[in-house]
Amino acid sequence: MSLSFEGRVVLVTGAGGGLGREYALAFAERGASVIVNDLGADTKGGGKSSAAADKVVEEIRAKGGKAVANYDSVEDGEKLIQTALDAFGRIGVYKPSMEILRPLVVHLRGSFLVTRAAWNHMKNQKFGRIIMTASAAGIYGNFGQANYSAAKLGLLGLANTLAIEGRKYNIHCNTIAPVAGSRLTETVMPPDLVASLKPEYVAPLVLWLCHEQCQENGGLFEVLRQKHILRWERTQGYIVRQKNQSMKPEAIRDHWEKICDFTDATKPANVQESLQSMVSVLSQVESQGDVGVNPAAAAASAGLGSGIDPVMGQKLPPTTFSFNHTQCILYALGVGMSTKDPDHLRFLYEGHPDFGCLPTFGVIPSQAAMMGGGLSSVPGLNIDFTQVLHGEQYLELYKPLPTSEIMLPAVNTYSGNELVCYNQFSVFVVGAGGFGGKRSSEKAKPPVPPPKRSPDAVVIDSTTRDQAALYRLSGDWNPLHIDPSFAAMGGFKAPILHGLCSFGFAARHVLKQFADNDPSRFKAIKVRFVKPVMPGQSLQTEMWKEGNRVHIQCKVKETDAVVLAGAYVDLHGTSGASPENLSQGGGLQSELVFAEIGRRIKDAGSELVKKVNAVFGWEITKDGKKAAQWTIDLKSGSGSLHKGPYSGKVDVTMTVSDEDFMEVVQGKLNPQKAFFSGKLKVRGNIMLSQKLEVILKDYAKL
């Protein structure tokens, strides 16, 4: 279906020739009403004539299109927009196209003034598309074009901010850096090259970015015949400052290669991501005093903006927090527990003989004290909740939490006179500062990176689209997690999941995997929040057990982005994975693969049943002993995946070690070679095993 602009009003500046003319003709051809703006100046900005704009208008009208001319300067932005309103009653798309070597004020200020004049009209109609025109000179710099380069890169900065501010009003702003034959390029390029760089090769991208179907926002595109999107890239850098010591230029010199090494480079997409690692480095230097450390070894915290000061040395006013079993159950549901899992019932049913409160509920009373007025009592700290992001969290329990109580929450939380738990919050606020206190604390619990080996266990758990809406009922009422407009003001495309909700997911994964869901074995948890999670995404918790400490890292399964890092859970009275735990699949890499197989069956089970019509059994071994049992039923109903003993009939059973299984599904070990070498043992109808390719294909995603 072709893209139509019927009913849309488009303003194109500099439309008397070159790219601008091509845009105007293309929009009009697809039904748009076009305002053709052009001063009629020469390539140096001199002279003025209406002929160029009039000629383009005549071309459009001759083809049956709708267009009017405007000869005002872009510095008279209100006049340009008024022309659109007078002629067509509204304005929907603004495309500045300036190819004249004019001073910075015309390029940058002109685009700003026209945009400002159109902005409220676009807001009121809940639609707008703006395309700014930068150039290679602005992105990369060019000899002899200082003012032009400054203006063009300035337009990119303007566009990026408009993209953030306009998102909640359905106003999108993108930037293009075109290379095309025009009045300007024909003076500096050979004629044959100019002929090959036709403006008509640029216009299709502009039309797509301006269409209502296109949701791209805040992008930067280089445009020739081939289209490219650009992004910023940053090295991991190198920390060369020691605590309480000055930084010497010699230290920079000595580590210059590492500072400039783009191996494992990051790609920050917004201010929040840009400053994450910087806040992490500040925290690390202040708390540990490390010298010469690659910041990749330290997990990034989620600090925001400039003027960030952790609240240190300030006491919150005393408050009281009352709760009963209802709040305990609501919290458990908020962090993803479900009656579908029988093990969860002890946290969801007050009549269960082992009914208890999840240990991470211990953050709720203290958070209620902070967000319910505690932070606002700190002198000089004025909080804008669109600019608040949770950086780190530490929770330590001194006894299992009761299921109903009146508590006095603060850093230390008491039940009566008895200390129940201790919390450390690291919260970063854009622009906040000046309230005194230290920038760090020697009492801060530092994050700890995980071991450099494969995780002992991996659990994948899906959040729901309403996860944030449910979790906020436990007391975090920040609109950032529910109101799209509020989230947009904070720079997010949609409301994000609470960091402490992801925190709760990860903690209960550890509790089930290594503590048999026994809250009394939970001692403490520390996490650093790295990136936000969107409700509906799946959380993948990777766990490494070392003694009584379980190191954890949590990722978004769909994007592989790390969201919790430098994290760990300390347990009471456990000395490693028990045989019972191992027999349930704990500590196996194959867990991750079978979880993916389960999702594939859920998504396309009926189709798979038609193709396969068989039941497969898997026995996964570890160190020569059976460690897990799985059954893939692709014969009945819409298919299913079973973990543990299976009472039905199995057509073929395969026995393989966890390590060899992973080699097979990753394509590193040929199944036939594994069979003939004795690594893969098969019982039953061996020919059916060939049908497994249907569910094991695309192993990279597995």
Side-chain angles (χ1 to χ4, degrees), residues 181 190-199 201 225:
D192 56 342
L193 181 57
V194 172
S196 67
L197 300 175
K198 295 181 180 180
Y201 300 146
R225 292 194 181 193

Side-chain angles (χ1 to χ4, degrees), residues 455-458 513-514 577 581-582 585-591 622 658:
D456 298 321
V458 178
Q513 197 75 29
F514 294 106
N581 198 17
L582 190 61
L588 301 178
Q589 298 180 65
S590 52
E591 282 268 313
K622 186 82 170 179
D658 186 54

Side-chain angles (χ1 to χ4, degrees), residues 279 301-304 308-312 367 370-371 375 381 383 385 387-393 424-430 432 435 478 500 529:
V279 175
S301 81
L304 283 180
I308 300 173
D309 285 309
V311 179
M312 298 291 180
Q367 187 181 39
M370 286 183 55
M371 308 310 285
L375 280 180
L381 180 58
I383 292 185
F385 279 98
Q387 306 298 298
V388 173
L389 208 62
H390 205 150
E392 297 178 10
Q393 182 70 37
Q424 280 184 359
F425 292 80
S426 294
V427 179
F428 302 102
V429 186
V430 172
F435 48 83
N478 190 340
L500 285 176
F529 302 103

Side-chain angles (χ1 to χ4, degrees), residues 559-696:
T559 66
D560 203 40
V562 175
V563 294
L564 301 180
Y568 61 84
V569 171
D570 287 335
L571 299 172
H572 291 295
T574 179
S575 57
S578 65
E580 293 80 8
N581 198 17
L582 190 61
S583 68
Q584 295 168 5
L588 301 178
Q589 298 180 65
S590 52
E591 282 268 313
L592 184 61
V593 176
F594 282 105
E596 175 63 25
I597 290 173
R599 272 191 297 279
R600 293 184 180 187
I601 294 174
K602 185 178 180 181
D603 293 340
S606 298
E607 182 181 345
L608 290 172
V609 167
K610 290 180 182 177
K611 290 182 178 179
V612 178
N613 191 33
V615 179
F616 303 92
W618 286 92
E619 294 176 350
I620 306 297
T621 66
K622 186 82 170 179
D623 299 327
K625 299 178 181 179
K626 185 164 71 173
Q629 182 177 341
W630 296 88
T631 305
I632 303 171
D633 182 355
L634 293 178
K635 181 179 278 188
S636 57
S638 56
S640 58
L641 175 70
H642 302 270
K643 182 178 181 181
Y646 183 67
S647 58
K649 181 182 178 182
V650 177
D651 295 306
V652 57
T653 300
M654 281 149 285
T655 303
V656 64
S657 73
D658 186 54
E659 295 82 1
D660 291 335
F661 178 84
M662 294 304 295
E663 292 280 305
V664 170
V665 299
Q666 293 179 68
K668 298 177 181 179
L669 176 61
N670 183 286
Q672 290 182 345
K673 289 184 178 180
F675 175 74
F676 287 115
S677 66
K679 292 182 177 181
L680 174 65
K681 297 176 182 179
V682 182
R683 304 193 308 271
N685 189 344
I686 191 171
M687 300 305 296
L688 286 175
S689 61
Q690 297 180 30
K691 293 189 176 184
L692 278 172
E693 184 182 356
V694 175
I695 54 173
L696 293 179

Side-chain angles (χ1 to χ4, degrees), residues 236-497:
Q236 291 286 354
Y238 204 78
I239 304 171
V240 294
R241 182 171 80 84
Q242 188 174 13
K243 184 177 180 180
N244 299 325
Q245 292 188 11
S246 60
M247 188 185 299
K248 300 289 197 303
E250 289 80 7
I252 304 294
R253 175 200 63 198
D254 296 343
H255 297 96
W256 189 245
E257 286 191 12
K258 293 179 180 177
I259 291 171
C260 299
D261 183 1
F262 275 90
T263 303
D264 297 324
T266 60
K267 302 169 182 68
N270 51 46
V271 171
Q272 294 94 321
E273 292 184 13
S274 173
L275 289 172
Q276 283 169 4
S277 64
M278 298 182 188
V279 175
S280 171
V281 169
L282 174 63
S283 173
Q284 186 180 358
V285 171
E286 292 292 337
S287 62
Q288 299 177 351
D290 288 342
V291 183
V293 178
N294 186 325
S301 81
L304 283 180
S306 60
I308 300 173
D309 285 309
V311 179
M312 298 291 180
Q314 301 287 348
K315 291 186 177 181
L316 302 182
T319 58
T320 300
F321 180 83
S322 301
F323 68 98
N324 57 28
H325 66 274
T326 303
Q327 282 72 36
C328 297
I329 295 171
L330 193 60
Y331 174 80
L333 291 169
V335 297
M337 289 201 133
S338 167
T339 54
K340 291 186 296 184
D341 190 330
D343 290 343
H344 293 181
L345 202 59
R346 64 176 297 176
F347 300 105
L348 297 175
Y349 173 43
E350 70 282 3
H352 192 283
D354 295 320
F355 179 62
C357 189
L358 274 174
T360 46
F361 182 79
V363 301
I364 298 300
S366 290
Q367 187 181 39
M370 286 183 55
M371 308 310 285
L375 280 180
S376 60
S377 68
V378 177
L381 180 58
N382 297 313
I383 292 185
D384 174 359
F385 279 98
T386 68
Q387 306 298 298
V388 173
L389 208 62
H390 205 150
E392 297 178 10
Q393 182 70 37
Y394 177 77
L395 167 68
E396 183 171 354
L397 297 187
Y398 299 109
K399 58 172 294 186
L401 295 173
T403 56
S404 62
E405 191 58 88
I406 299 176
M407 290 187 171
L408 300 174
V411 173
N412 291 313
T413 299
Y414 293 86
S415 174
N417 294 322
E418 188 174 11
L419 181 61
V420 176
C421 62
Y422 166 76
N423 275 278
Q424 280 184 359
F425 292 80
S426 294
V427 179
F428 302 102
V429 186
V430 172
F435 48 83
K438 301 177 183 178
R439 294 185 63 86
S440 63
S441 171
E442 62 278 1
K443 296 180 181 179
K445 299 287 183 179
V448 179
K452 293 182 178 180
R453 57 181 171 84
S454 298
D456 298 321
V458 178
V459 173
I460 298 176
D461 215 344
S462 296
T463 67
T464 69
R465 181 68 179 80
D466 298 316
Q467 201 73 56
L470 178 59
Y471 181 84
R472 69 190 300 266
L473 300 181
S474 289
D476 188 340
W477 302 102
N478 190 340
L480 184 67
H481 306 293
I482 191 70
D483 185 342
S485 298
F486 202 87
M489 287 189 285
F492 299 101
K493 292 183 178 180
I496 61 175
L497 192 63

Side-chain angles (χ1 to χ4, degrees), residues 19 99 178-182 185-186 189 194 197-200 202 223:
L19 287 168
E99 301 175 57
V179 178
S182 66
T185 55
E186 68 185 9
M189 292 181 177
V194 172
L197 300 175
K198 295 181 180 180
E200 65 195 57
V202 179
V223 194

